[in-house]
Amino acid sequence: QVMFCTLNTPKVDMEKLLGGQIGLEDFIFAHTKGRRKDVQVLKSEEALGLTITDNGAGYAFIKRIREGSVIARIPLIGVGDMIEAIDGRSLVGARHFEVARLLQELPRGHTFALRLTEPRRAFVTPPVSPDMIGPRSGGGRGGPSQVGSGRGTLRLRSKGPATLQEQPSAFEERAVAKVDDLLESYMGIRDSELGET
């Protein structure tokens, strides 16, 4: 069910897709499959206005959407959506340049079917802090109890099972940063894990 992983951010950020470089201090955030969407798109202009990337494991994603473009005018389509099929042709296993070429080769004026899967979004209750992600309009089925907080870290261990650890709230993150600053000013060390403790 994992679509892609981001490095050091729980947000759907295609610039932070997990690649070949990873350090001991890096965090990996797994983004799981959310709702599936079937969208009809009229290619009214030569360029659709989207940039595509892939994770090297057979899934192509929307990396960027140019403002005012054909794709930007379709509210159901968003950054991070996995492109599963075009006109019924499966794209699972295709690289980003193959998907881009297929979209580019579609004739202008043609309406095509796009099957997408969006990454699962975090549902938040008020008050909403700006760094948290809310549900998209027309959200998927089910309530918050089925979705989770969306702010968890998947901890992989060499021995024992993988566990999901909830991320601290924005308030807790600020508190840890202040404790870390105090540790540095009084003891000359920076240790966020000690700050959390």
Side-chain angles (χ1 to χ4, degrees):
Q1 289 296 327
V2 174
M3 288 173 58
F4 58 88
C5 294
T6 51
L7 203 57
N8 299 320
T9 180
K11 294 181 176 152
V12 175
D13 185 345
M14 296 290 101
E15 301 295 329
K16 303 283 187 172
L17 271 183
L18 178 62
Q21 298 294 323
I22 185 168
L24 292 173
E25 298 297 315
D26 288 328
F27 287 96
I28 300 171
F29 293 87
H31 300 269
T32 57
K33 290 181 180 179
R35 99 183 136 136
R36 181 174 273 167
K37 305 178 282 191
D38 289 303
V39 183
Q40 295 292 317
V41 180
L42 170 64
K43 189 174 180 182
S44 58
E45 299 170 23
E46 246 352 276
L48 291 169
L50 63 111
T51 305
I52 300 168
T53 189
D54 67 66
N55 64 356
Y59 294 132
F61 303 95
I62 296 174
K63 182 177 183 177
R64 269 192 294 280
I65 298 174
R66 192 179 73 239
E67 203 171 312
S69 66
V70 172
I71 296 295
R73 292 190 290 265
I74 304 171
L76 266 178
I77 300 175
V79 170
D81 287 354
M82 178 177 69
I83 303 171
E84 278 192 49
I86 297 173
D87 282 337
R89 178 181 172 183
S90 176
L91 297 172
V92 175
R95 297 297 311 266
H96 66 281
F97 54 87
E98 295 171 301
V99 176
R101 185 177 63 239
L102 278 172
L103 290 169
Q104 195 172 29
E105 289 173 352
L106 291 169
R108 190 172 177 174
H110 176 71
T111 299
F112 62 96
L114 199 55
R115 171 163 277 182
L116 305 166
T117 299
E118 72 179 26
R120 195 174 297 246
R121 304 292 177 173
F123 284 75
V124 293
T125 54
V128 178
S129 66
D131 64 330
M132 296 179 80
I133 302 168
R136 286 191 174 175
S137 58
R141 290 181 210 135
S145 61
Q146 293 176 325
V147 175
S149 73
R151 290 181 55 88
T153 300
L154 183 63
R155 299 275 185 206
L156 304 173
R157 294 180 171 80
S158 59
K159 294 178 182 168
T163 58
L164 185 66
Q165 177 182 335
E166 284 297 314
Q167 287 296 296
S169 67
F171 172 78
E172 290 168 327
E173 286 176 354
R174 285 194 303 276
V176 168
K178 288 188 183 221
V179 169
D180 203 18
D181 290 342
L182 285 170
L183 284 171
E184 183 181 35
S185 63
Y186 289 106
M187 299 175 69
I189 60 168
R190 289 199 77 80
D191 188 339
S192 57
E193 284 185 30
L194 181 61
E196 275 183 46
T197 306

